């Protein structure tokens, strides 16, 4: 059922998050309650640039991701300090290290065989314009 | 609250790929062994720890199933789930039921039948312990999550692949003395580093295996235990602690610090009135080699960042200052996820009774068990001691 | 006055060289290179399709335009390779940009002219005063049958243009469309790859329609080739756009800036639109630009653009098309290429 996928579109396509009005904590995805006790949050859009906080290279992956193996996955720390997990696309493992600057791009993240819906979302990419 | 003793323990004779044993048989075998060890003819209540029998075996509703197959129809029985910490959480639930006075004799156990699905099915089932929408969606596997914790630890504290490998070497050495261990062979640092890479920097020999198995313990009030113990050393649960952390690794301010373990241990230590220096041995959740390194830091056995040197320097080996995972750990003994937390307590009791054979920790009086779900999204800690 | 307020392109990083394809089919690489004037082509990542390429190109266009995506009144995506047979691409793009839900949206499929088709309609919507901004995209992950001449050219990339009435970077002075039913290239429903009519795709198809549209718009505008700083034509191979440009009276210098095909391949619906972005990246204010698209059996759309002073301010705000083309490519062998293009039969389920 694509209902669960559709529900996540604002987060996955547009990086829509939430911010606590009381303590300023950023929640991705948006939450009903903040750890500070406040239930007053407002919409907030994450920046799309940041750096690699940590990473790994998946060499044995789920069959849905077989076409990508080996692929780099990372925790990315965005410019505002928010962290998220995603793949690093088009990157050879040796190109990635902690601190490497990245930008989030719109990519296909997964698809259910040749029949199901195509699942899109964000992936990090390295700066491709450096000399 | 009244004092709670562990009066019986049970395991399958051998863990591993147990093709001829079903989910229900695995659990009944361990539970009946624990009941027999306790010397009782019935229990008042039961908690069954299991992570995801629905995905592994197409079976939920384990309270009903297991009571039936124990020959105790009608028994109040509940399945407890906290991912890979399900077994520990089941024991904690039983502890409070006895401590509160609600029941006198309670069985707590854990089980996982993992080999009825293929590798892809097992990967999927285990991945449900992570954040489905914000981690697993992106193709992140469990080895990759722990690998990312390892990279953080290595980057900040200089921990090396050899440090990780030394945990595997030590735990396989311990496991070689455990007849129930799934992989009781020894490994060398070279073998670990030469084994196939799963998720950099974790090799296959840095990972715990897919295992069928179950474990069970029988808890009862201290008064009742004194009647039942006979000549055997009596073991009590001196402290219990449980805590959670964010389910997604990326939500944590520190990517290689196990906050849930730190908090659970603090609670358990306070209840027991002891600290890390008072502990003689530990059974911890080494689902990956890096996990043991992070756990011994969070439990306070070593300073933050110093966990990498512990196995290499012999600190955590049998005969060391604080032997860790004398059973072989998840790494060598096996990791039937829902059973692991209960099996750690089985090993703890075995050590405290002085029944651990070649792997006995000399003079063991007090031990700790630490069981962890996901990447540390939940932790359960028990302090056990000889009365 | 209507025209372009923001433009952007996107080209995947992967490339395959013509020799690598020729090797597999035992073909004479040198003969193909001479015949097609193509050295390499772009290849999409396994995680890229027309929707992802469109989104990235459109994000660049939005950045240059400096507008709030909520103000985009229409999103049109022209492609021969929409990811779904049924379920639009444009809605994915509009959602990703944040242009939903108060937005008109349509996918165009009109051979290689689908991109310029969207540009044509977007301009018309703005000119009619129906909306403030309209977004038009031409993008493809082009199909070519293994071993066929098309396999040496069919590539991936796209371009996006935000049309508006104020703060233009380039004004659209004239348009002209010229079309007949000329079946020189087609793909039937449920077929993987298009078929083409060999040399029939030349004079009676490509050249007839581009010349028809080109001559008509020059006549309509009263302009001569010498008035233009740049011209860009549909570019299925290296030869055709240079030849048709010269036939219309343009010099090599006017054609080279938008002539990307020798290193990019044929991005089908993206071909002349991506060429136009490369021109806008470097043009000077007041330059005249002629663009003529072509789609098989679809005819040609011609546009005359005149750049404004504002152009200069926008050029540096997003990556240049030539940088996407030239920097840090990742070269694939044929096996990797076959995987990227889904040409390997997999076990399913």
């Amino acid at each position: 059922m694509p209902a669960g996928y559709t529900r996540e579109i604002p987060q996955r396509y547009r990086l829509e998050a939430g911010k606590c009005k009381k303590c300023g904590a950023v929640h991705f995805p948006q939450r009903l309650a903040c750890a500070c006790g406040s239930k007053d949050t407002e919409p907030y859009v994450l920046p799309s640039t940041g750096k690699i906080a940590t990473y790994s290279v998946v060499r044995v992956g789920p069959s849905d991701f077989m076409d990508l193996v080996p692929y780099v996955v990372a925790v990315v720390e965005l410019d505002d300090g928010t962290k998220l997990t995603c793949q690093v696309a088009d990157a050879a493992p040796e190109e990635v290290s902690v601190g490497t600057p990245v930008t989030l791009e719109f990519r296909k993240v997964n698809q259910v065989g040749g029949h199901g819906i195509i699942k899109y979302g964000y992936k990090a990419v390295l700066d491709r314009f450096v000399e | 609250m009244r004092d709670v003793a562990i009066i019986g323990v049970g395991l399958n004779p051998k863990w591993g790929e147990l093709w001829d044993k079903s989910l229900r048989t695995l659990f009944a075998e361990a539970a009946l062994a624990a009941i027999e060890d306790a010397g009782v003819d019935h229990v008042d209540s039961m908690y069954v720890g299991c992570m995801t029998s629905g995905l592994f075996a197409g079976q939920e509703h384990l309270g009903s199933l297991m009571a039936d197959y124990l020959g105790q129809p009608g028994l109040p029985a509940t399945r407890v789930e906290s991912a890979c910490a399900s077994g520990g959480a089941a024991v904690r639930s039983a502890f409070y039921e006895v401590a509160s006075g609600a029941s006198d004799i309670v069985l707590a156990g854990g089980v996982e039948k993992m080999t009825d699905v293929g590798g892809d099915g097992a990967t999927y089932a285990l991945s449900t312990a992570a954040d489905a929408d914000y981690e697993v969606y992106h193709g992140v596997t469990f080895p990759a999550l722990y690998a990312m914790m390892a990279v953080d630890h290595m980057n900040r504290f200089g921990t090396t692949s050899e440090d990780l490998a030394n945990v595997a070497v030590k735990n396989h050495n311990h496991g070689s003395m455990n007849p129930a261990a799934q992989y009781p062979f020894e490994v060398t640092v070279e073998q670990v580093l030469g084994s196939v890479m799963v998720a950099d920097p974790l090799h296959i020999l840095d990972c715990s295996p897919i295992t069928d198995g179950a474990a069970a313990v029988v808890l009862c009030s201290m008064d009742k235990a004194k009647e039942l113990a006979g000549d055997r050393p009596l073991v009590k649960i001196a402290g219990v602690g449980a805590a959670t952390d964010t389910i997604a690794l990326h939500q944590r301010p520190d990517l290689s610090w196990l906050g849930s373990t730190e908090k659970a241990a603090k609670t358990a230590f306070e209840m027991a009135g002891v600290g890390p220096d008072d502990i003689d041995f530990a059974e911890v959740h080494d689902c990956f080699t890096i996990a043991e390194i992070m756990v011994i830091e969070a439990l306070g056995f070593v300073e933050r960042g110093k966990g990498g040197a512990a196995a290499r320097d012999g600190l955590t080996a049998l005969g060391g200052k604080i032997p860790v995972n004398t059973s072989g750990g998840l790494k060598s003994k096996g990791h039937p996820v829902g059973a692991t937390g209960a099996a750690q307590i089985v090993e703890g009791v075995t050590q405290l009774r002085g029944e651990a054979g070649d792997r006995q920790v000399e003079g063991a009086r007090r031990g700790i068990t630490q069981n962890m779900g996901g990447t540390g999204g939940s932790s359960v800690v028990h302090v056990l001691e000889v009365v | 006055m209507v025209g372009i307020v923001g433009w952007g392109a996107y080209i995947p990083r992967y490339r395959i060289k013509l020799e690598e394809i020729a090797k597999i089919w035992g073909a004479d690489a040198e003969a193909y290179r001479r015949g097609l004037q193509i050295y390499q082509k772009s290849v999409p990542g396994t995680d890229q399709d027309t929707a992802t390429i469109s989104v990235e190109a459109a994000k660049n266009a939005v950045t240059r335009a400096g507008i709030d995506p909520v103000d985009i009144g229409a999103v049109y995506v022209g492609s021969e390779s929409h990811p779904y047979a049924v379920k639009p691409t444009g809605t994915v793009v509009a959602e990703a940009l944040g242009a939903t839900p108060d937005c008109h949206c349509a996918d165009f499929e009109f051979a290689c002219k689908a991109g310029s088709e969207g540009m044509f309609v977007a301009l018309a919507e703005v000119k009619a005063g129906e909306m403030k901004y309209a977004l038009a995209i031409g993008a493809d992950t082009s199909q070519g049958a293994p071993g066929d001449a098309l396999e040496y050219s069919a590539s991936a990339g796209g371009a996006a243009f935000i049309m508006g009435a104020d703060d233009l970077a380039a004004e659209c002075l004239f348009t002209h469309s010229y079309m007949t039913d000329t079946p020189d290239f087609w793909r039937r429903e449920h077929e993987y790859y298009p078929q083409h009519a060999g040399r029939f795709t030349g004079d009676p198809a490509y050249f007839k329609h581009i010349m028809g549209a080109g001559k008509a718009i020059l006549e309509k505008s009263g302009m001569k080739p010498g008035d233009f700083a740049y011209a860009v034509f549909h570019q299925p191979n290296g030869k055709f756009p240079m030849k048709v440009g010269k036939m219309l009276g343009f010099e090599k210098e006017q054609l080279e800036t938008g002539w990307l095909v020798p290193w990019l391949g044929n991005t089908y619906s993206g071909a002349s639109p991506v060429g136009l972005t490369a021109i806008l990246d470097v043009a000077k204010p007041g330059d005249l630009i002629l663009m003529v698209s072509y789609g098989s059996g679809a005819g040609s759309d011609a546009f005359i653009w005149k750049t404004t002073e504002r152009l200069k301010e926008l050029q540096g705000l997003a990556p240049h098309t030539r940088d996407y083309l030239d920097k840090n490519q990742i070269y694939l062998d044929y096996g990797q290429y076959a995987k990227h293009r889904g040409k390997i039969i997999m076990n399913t389920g």
Side-chain angles (χ1 to χ4, degrees), chain C residues 2 45 71 129 136 157 168 190 203 222 228 232 234 236 279 294 323 346:
Chain C
V2 295
D71 293 330
L168 302 181
H190 307 306
D203 288 338
F228 290 84
V232 59
H234 179 58
I279 291 169
Y294 172 72
D323 286 339
M346 306 288 287

Side-chain angles (χ1 to χ4, degrees), chain C residues 121-195:
Chain C
V121 177
L123 285 166
E125 291 272 26
V126 173
K127 193 167 186 177
E130 286 293 319
M131 55 191 63
K132 197 167 173 193
Y133 302 113
L135 168 64
I137 298 166
D140 256 305
T141 55
S142 315
Q143 306 104 338
D148 185 81
L150 278 177
E151 192 181 25
Y152 297 90
S153 61
S155 69
F161 301 91
I162 294 171
M163 306 302 185
D166 302 308
D167 294 330
L168 302 181
E171 184 188 355
C172 182
L173 299 180
F174 296 94
T175 63
H176 188 86
S177 288
Y178 181 98
M179 54 81 71
T180 66
D181 181 16
T182 306
D184 66 313
F185 179 111
W186 64 93
R187 177 166 66 87
R188 293 287 299 270
E189 185 108 78
H190 307 306
E191 298 276 310
Y192 281 121
Y193 305 114
Q195 299 185 52

Side-chain angles (χ1 to χ4, degrees), chain C residues 204-253:
Chain C
Y206 180 88
F207 290 100
K208 174 183 167 182
H209 291 86
I210 291 197
M211 290 299 289
K215 281 181 177 167
I217 201 167
L218 288 176
E219 190 176 338
K220 190 189 269 187
S221 65
M223 294 175 185
K224 305 179 299 297
D227 298 334
F228 290 84
Y230 304 100
V232 59
F233 304 100
H234 179 58
Q235 31 198 320
N237 56 54
K239 258 188 180 170
F240 277 22
M242 282 308 210
K243 185 173 169 193
V244 83
K246 284 183 184 140
M247 285 163 70
L248 278 168
F250 290 91
E251 300 295 326
K252 194 178 169 195
E253 293 69 31

Side-chain angles (χ1 to χ4, degrees), chain B residues 71-317:
Chain B
Q72 292 209 38
L75 181 70
T78 307
R79 183 257 191 90
V80 176
E81 187 273 317
S82 187
C84 317
S86 300
V91 176
R92 178 175 176 267
S93 302
F95 169 85
Y96 279 109
E97 184 163 334
V98 175
S100 69
S103 294
D104 281 334
I105 307 173
V106 179
L107 188 141
V111 62
E112 213 74 54
K113 175 68 194 173
M114 300 175 75
T115 61
D116 279 356
V117 297
D120 213 43
T123 300
Y124 173 72
L126 293 170
S127 76
T128 60
D131 188 324
D133 287 338
Y134 289 88
E135 292 182 319
V136 182
Y137 181 80
H138 297 280
V140 178
T141 59
F142 251 94
L145 286 166
Y146 273 93
M148 290 199 286
M149 298 166 97
V151 167
D152 185 67
H153 205 277
M154 293 164 117
N155 193 51
R156 290 164 60 198
F157 305 116
T159 307
T160 65
S161 290
E162 286 76 11
D163 292 341
L164 270 55
N166 272 305
V167 175
V169 171
K170 169 186 70 78
N171 289 351
H172 274 278
N173 172 258
H174 292 175
S176 71
M177 294 174 259
N178 183 352
Q182 177 176 10
Y183 291 127
F185 51 77
E186 302 227 27
V187 299
T188 63
V189 169
E190 292 68 33
Q191 282 172 324
V192 176
L193 297 181
S195 67
V196 68
M197 193 70 95
V198 173
D200 304 24
L202 300 181
H203 302 81
I204 188 83
L205 284 175
D206 285 298
C207 309
S208 57
I210 299 284
T211 310
D212 298 327
V217 297
V218 176
L219 308 188
C220 69
S221 63
M222 189 56 75
D223 294 343
K224 184 85 182 162
K226 283 175 181 161
E227 292 170 26
L228 292 165
D231 301 335
R232 289 197 301 194
L234 191 53
V235 177
K236 72 176 251 190
I237 297 180
V240 181
T244 56
D245 199 345
T246 63
I247 188 165
L249 173 64
H250 61 246
Q251 297 278 3
R252 301 177 199 162
D254 185 329
L255 297 172
S256 58
W257 180 249
L258 296 169
S260 67
T261 292
E262 178 195 19
K263 289 191 185 77
K266 186 166 183 285
T267 306
F269 280 137
E270 279 175 12
M271 188 188 289
V274 298
D277 293 341
D278 305 313
I279 300 295
D280 300 323
F281 67 92
E283 281 288 302
V284 309
H285 200 94
D286 61 325
C287 49
F288 300 91
T289 49
I290 180 64
E292 180 171 310
I293 289 170
M294 295 187 294
V295 169
I296 60 173
E297 293 178 7
L299 291 176
F301 293 135
V302 294
E303 271 178 56
R304 173 68 169 141
K306 298 280 187 344
R312 185 187 65 211
D313 296 347
L315 182 79
T316 49

Side-chain angles (χ1 to χ4, degrees), chain A residues 9 13-14 66-69 89-90 95 104-108 116-118 120 123 126-131, chain C residues 10-14 46-49 51-52 55-56 83-84 95-96 98 319 323-324 327-328 330 339:
Chain A
I9 281 177
Y13 286 27
R14 299 191 295 273
M66 190 178 149
D67 55 346
L68 295 168
V69 170
D90 303 344
E95 291 180 285
L104 299 184
E105 257 191 32
F106 189 74
R107 298 277 177 137
K108 279 195 289 189
I117 59 163
I118 301 167
Y120 296 98
K123 288 191 185 183
L126 309 178
D127 183 355
R128 61 186 280 190
F129 302 116
V130 289
E131 295 296 339
Chain C
Y10 185 86
I11 299 167
R13 278 181 73 177
Y14 299 98
T46 58
D47 56 1
Q48 293 181 304
D49 61 18
T52 68
V55 168
E56 289 303 321
Y84 289 90
E95 279 282 7
D323 286 339
Y324 275 119
K327 289 191 174 166
N328 293 308
I330 302 168
K339 187 170 89 167

Side-chain angles (χ1 to χ4, degrees), chain B residues 341-375:
Chain B
Q344 292 176 327
I345 292 175
V346 172
E347 175 70 7
V349 171
T350 306
Q351 286 287 353
L352 292 172
R353 286 177 177 174
E355 296 171 354
D358 291 344
R359 63 180 196 282
Q360 180 65 45
V361 176
E362 289 307 318
R365 301 287 301 166
R366 188 180 291 115
I368 195 168
T369 66
Q370 178 269 353
N371 184 203
M372 180 160 72
T375 52

